[in-house]
């Protein structure tokens, strides 16, 4: 293995959410930094959020920790406690099982870049209190369900 430049890792636009949620995440581009190294217990993504975009739907993880670090730009962190401005060099962590749902918005006129790092727990579930969706792992694969337990296609 050799070190690689992050900008050489393929960028993906949007997030792999089913309709009707996908359009909310179209202004997010991300690179799965941990993928080329076949890491299984840690996920690291570098994400760029365009003006007017958001990182995800507001969510929390049952079994995986999350950590974010702002590389450039300005983002608004939205949690159950309110809205907080995050700028270059600021960071925040979210402990597994803490149901304080969060996401980030780009209300500025410039793109913002941040690093997102999280643990990969095989029993992790992701809850979205504001939206009719949750993610569960089945047979090692993530599957989106509505809150009544019906899978999205």
């Amino acid at each position: 293995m050799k070190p690689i430049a992050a900008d050489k890792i393929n960028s993906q636009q949007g997030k792999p959410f089913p309709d009707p949620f996908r359009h909310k995440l179209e202004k997010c581009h991300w690179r799965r930094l941990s993928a080329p190294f076949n890491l299984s217990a840690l996920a690291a993504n570098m994400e760029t959020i365009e003006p007017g975009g958001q990182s995800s739907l507001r969510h929390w993880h049952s079994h995986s920790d999350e950590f974010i670090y702002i590389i450039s730009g300005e983002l608004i962190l939205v949690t159950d406690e309110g809205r907080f401005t995050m700028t270059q060099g600021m960071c925040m962590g979210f402990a597994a099982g803490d149901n304080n749902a969060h996401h980030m918005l780009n209300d500025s006129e410039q793109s913002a870049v941040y690093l997102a790092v999280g643990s990969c727990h095989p029993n992790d579930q992701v809850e979205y209190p504001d939206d009719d969706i949750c993610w569960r792992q089945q047979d090692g694969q993530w599957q989106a369900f509505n809150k009544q337990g019906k899978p999205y296609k």
Side-chain angles (χ1 to χ4, degrees):
M1 286 303 243
K2 295 185 212 175
I4 59 175
D7 65 357
K8 300 298 183 199
I9 297 171
N10 289 337
S11 178
Q12 300 177 47
Q13 182 176 359
K15 299 280 178 91
F17 276 73
D19 288 328
F21 309 103
R22 184 175 293 126
H23 77 280
K24 294 180 178 184
L25 307 171
E26 291 174 345
K27 294 185 177 186
C28 183
H29 306 269
W30 53 286
R31 298 175 192 276
R32 191 168 298 227
L33 301 181
S34 52
F37 307 105
N38 298 316
L39 302 181
S40 61
L42 176 82
N45 297 321
M46 184 168 46
E47 304 192 19
T48 301
I49 303 175
E50 298 171 18
Q54 62 187 54
S55 62
S56 181
L57 304 175
R58 219 167 61 86
H59 69 283
W60 61 277
H61 291 263
S62 64
H63 289 80
S64 293
D65 293 332
E66 276 187 281
F67 175 83
I68 56 174
Y69 175 81
I70 307 302
I71 296 170
S72 65
E74 178 178 298
L75 293 167
I76 305 299
L77 173 66
V78 181
T79 70
D80 291 344
E81 280 89 26
R83 296 167 60 98
F84 306 92
T85 301
M86 295 187 70
T87 56
Q88 182 177 353
M90 295 179 79
C91 59
M92 180 66 183
F94 306 96
D98 182 351
N99 67 356
N100 184 0
H102 57 276
H103 72 160
M104 293 184 295
L105 309 173
N106 186 345
D107 289 344
S108 77
E109 295 180 12
Q110 304 290 325
S111 292
V113 180
Y114 70 100
L115 178 67
V117 179
S119 54
C120 299
H121 192 283
N123 297 322
D124 194 26
Q125 299 179 20
V126 188
E127 304 293 334
Y128 300 84
D130 304 333
D131 296 284
D132 188 20
I133 187 172
C134 58
W135 286 94
R136 306 277 185 264
Q137 292 193 57
Q138 285 191 315
D139 302 321
Q141 300 294 316
W142 284 101
Q143 172 69 48
F145 294 88
N146 69 18
K147 291 184 180 174
Q148 290 72 44
K150 182 179 178 186
Y152 282 99
K153 295 184 184 204

